[in-house]
Amino acid sequence: MNDQVLGWVRAAKRIAVLTGAGMSAESGVPTFRDAQTGLWAQFDPAQLATEEAFRARPSMVWDWYAFRREMIAQVEPNAGHKALADFARRHPGRMTLITQNVDGLHQRAGSPGVLALHGNIFEDKWLDPPKACCNAAAAAAGSPPYCDRCGNMLRPDVVWFGEALPLRTLAAAEDAARACDLMLVVGTSGVVYPAAGLARTAAGKVVIINPHPTDLDDAADAVLRGTAAQLLPQLMED
Ligand code: BV8
């Protein structure tokens, strides 16, 4: 373990953590870089995770999310998720956890106040603004479920490409980046904005934890070539 980075963690009063899909890789959740499986193998997630794709092929996109939900429901938070949650519990108010992940694993590990920039794959919302007849609890079964009075469809409550991030969540994440004296950037390729931009607005030192090079390596004060479940328990041991 890098003693200099360990020293930065021990000395930091305000730690911001930004995580991506690599955070959940050791729980068994494929990352976006990983090849897609089955029916969706020929699609790039950035093509599927869009309102346009959903309106064009609602049942295929809905089934992709249903497949991902079923897979995520069967996995557990890994040692990396737990190390972050346990640190936050031992040091209340010292860490702000910002995630691009929609899998809810940080929340299940017990991390408080998770800033989920891209939503939650297990939540639904109406595709079009709901009318008085649109009652999600009574939606007609289907892929996707829909309002049998007006035809409005339910969609996953995640942020698709081309959609704005939840303003308050993003503002809180930007505040945490500007106020931190250390930012840990874990398991993200740093390709998707505005989330990746947080690593470039961090006031404090930036430490990247990733087994492979990322688009953010140039912004880092230190790069730890390793995995989330291996390195985070060592880093967050205090
Ligand atoms: C928006 C939810 C505007 C859905 C996702 C500049 C500024 C603003 C926008 C843009 C911009 N440039 C381009 C854009 C547009 C776009 C974008 O960024 N495109 C990219 C492709 C270039 N951004 C958007 O569209 C965003 N919206 O800007 O709206 C706007 C404003 C006002 C009004 C209207 C519109 C919305 C982006 C959110 C998209 N939704 N997820 C779903 O999940 O289905 S993004 C999704 O992909 C994930 O949430 C995640 O964010 C991203 C994948 O990235 P990573 O998490 O980094 O994962 P990846 O697989 O890439 O990498 C994994 C990493 O882990 C690797 O580095 C690997 O080495 C590492 N790893 C592997 N194993 C391990 C590991 N690390 C540690 N341990 C291990 N064991």
Side-chain angles (χ1 to χ4, degrees):
M1 173 44 62
N2 180 315
D3 288 343
Q4 183 185 43
V5 172
L6 262 180
W8 292 347
V9 173
R10 287 189 183 127
K13 291 184 178 44
R14 280 188 294 271
I15 303 174
V17 183
L18 173 65
T19 67
M23 183 75 226
S24 302
E26 285 152 293
S27 294
V29 182
T31 70
F32 277 70
R33 300 300 106 187
D34 291 348
Q36 291 273 60
T37 55
L39 171 66
W40 304 284
Q42 73 271 34
F43 293 106
D44 167 357
Q47 284 177 318
L48 283 176
T50 65
E51 181 182 339
E52 183 192 2
F54 186 79
R55 287 189 184 276
R57 302 180 70 174
S59 59
M60 188 193 76
V61 176
W62 177 266
D63 288 350
W64 180 52
Y65 280 92
F67 167 77
R68 289 170 63 192
R69 284 172 174 172
E70 198 178 315
M71 176 255 294
I72 292 166
Q74 290 161 28
V75 305
E76 295 297 326
N78 62 54
H81 294 107
K82 290 175 188 155
L84 292 173
D86 294 348
F87 184 91
R89 201 174 297 126
R90 292 194 308 272
H91 303 277
R94 201 168 146 210
M95 174 185 283
T96 303
L97 179 55
I98 306 157
T99 190
Q100 300 172 80
N101 299 340
V102 296
D103 58 30
L105 289 176
H106 285 302
Q107 295 89 328
R108 279 179 52 195
S111 286
V114 176
L115 297 176
L117 296 175
H118 296 156
N120 180 335
I121 199 167
F122 291 104
E123 304 288 327
D124 290 336
K125 67 181 183 181
W126 290 107
L127 176 64
D128 293 313
K131 303 184 195 70
C133 58
C134 300
N135 172 3
S143 291
Y146 61 97
C147 171
D148 57 6
R149 303 283 294 278
C150 72
N152 199 359
M153 293 183 276
L154 284 175
R155 52 158 287 182
D157 191 2
V158 297
V159 179
W160 278 333
F161 287 97
E163 292 187 327
L165 276 61
L167 288 179
R168 274 202 304 275
T169 309
L170 180 58
E174 285 166 344
D175 290 348
R178 285 196 203 96
C180 76
D181 37 28
L182 175 66
M183 177 179 276
L184 304 179
V185 180
V186 188
T188 181
S189 56
V191 166
V192 173
Y193 281 80
L198 292 166
R200 298 189 184 283
T201 50
K205 294 204 182 306
V206 173
V207 176
I208 285 180
I209 294 165
N210 198 310
H212 304 297
T214 82
D215 280 21
L216 295 170
D217 285 8
D218 65 287
D221 296 283
V223 175
L224 303 182
R225 282 281 171 258
T227 73
Q230 283 165 355
L231 294 184
L232 286 173
Q234 297 172 44
L235 263 186
M236 314 311 293
E237 63 180 10
D238 263 7

